[in-house]
Amino acid sequence: MVATSIVILAGGLGTRIGGNKALRALQERPLLEWVLQAMRPQADEVLISANAPPGIFAQYGCRVVADRISGHAGPLAGLHAAMMAATHEWIAGVPCDVPFLPGDLVARLHAAICGTTAEAAVAVIGGDRQPAVALYRTSVLQKLDAFLAGGGRKVGAWQDSLQWVEAPFEDAAAFI
């Protein structure tokens, strides 16, 4: 497998659910633990994108990166900070609230992009793009900088500005 960093996007304010989503329990375990269990074996480095108080994620043993763009600019701001901090050429982004991600997610994203000139591979289920689940070449950081500087915030809109390929998945339940 190609050396890959993974960023778990956990930087949201959680205003709709009354707190940090990553720490909400599913079967008595925080959602973040479920995602970490699925992602750790698939990466050489796991980062957590979070704007929470320092130390809230310390027990998980991952480097935590905060947005460098002010104003809670959404998941792209978290991806941006993670790309700046990542130590590998590839970075996969996954949300913190998708506890059943496939154990071969990163390998399948790599397989979709391998041998192409695409800049990203995005998970697709039954023709529906899952924009928050994607693999990027970190060389797209300048494009992300420009998109964010221009006020862009939607992940799908930014992906549409890139050359991207679909990474098909059949198990929709894995992305709930």
Side-chain angles (χ1 to χ4, degrees), residues 3-166:
T4 302
S5 298
I6 290 179
V7 59
I8 299 172
L9 301 167
L13 295 172
T15 52
R16 289 183 302 220
I17 63 166
N20 192 303
K21 258 193 291 198
L23 300 177
R24 289 288 184 218
L26 172 67
Q27 297 176 5
E28 300 181 18
R29 289 176 50 209
L31 288 169
L32 179 62
E33 286 184 18
W34 291 87
V35 176
L36 280 168
Q37 181 180 354
M39 294 295 98
R40 271 198 169 115
Q42 299 186 54
D44 300 284
E45 171 184 48
V46 178
L47 305 169
I48 298 173
S49 164
N51 297 306
I56 196 168
F57 296 113
Q59 68 188 10
Y60 297 107
C62 299
R63 192 160 39 126
V64 178
V65 294
D67 293 355
R68 295 176 181 221
I69 296 169
S70 63
H72 296 283
L76 284 179
L79 183 62
H80 175 266
M83 279 188 183
M84 294 181 82
T87 58
H88 300 293
E89 175 187 355
W90 296 95
I91 188 164
V94 298
C96 67
D97 60 350
V98 184
F100 307 116
L101 289 167
D104 63 347
L105 175 72
V106 174
R108 291 176 69 178
L109 290 168
H110 272 293
I113 201 169
C114 185
T116 74
T117 59
E119 299 164 304
V122 183
V124 174
I125 302 166
D128 292 329
R129 182 175 12 169
Q130 307 297 308
V133 181
L135 175 71
Y136 302 93
R137 297 178 193 271
T138 55
S139 59
V140 299
L141 179 58
Q142 280 189 305
K143 291 181 179 184
L144 181 53
D145 270 332
F147 185 80
L148 289 166
R153 296 295 181 260
K154 299 230 178 249
V155 178
W158 178 62
Q159 288 170 343
D160 287 340
S161 74
L162 304 174
Q163 288 181 314
W164 65 277
V165 295
E166 293 185 3

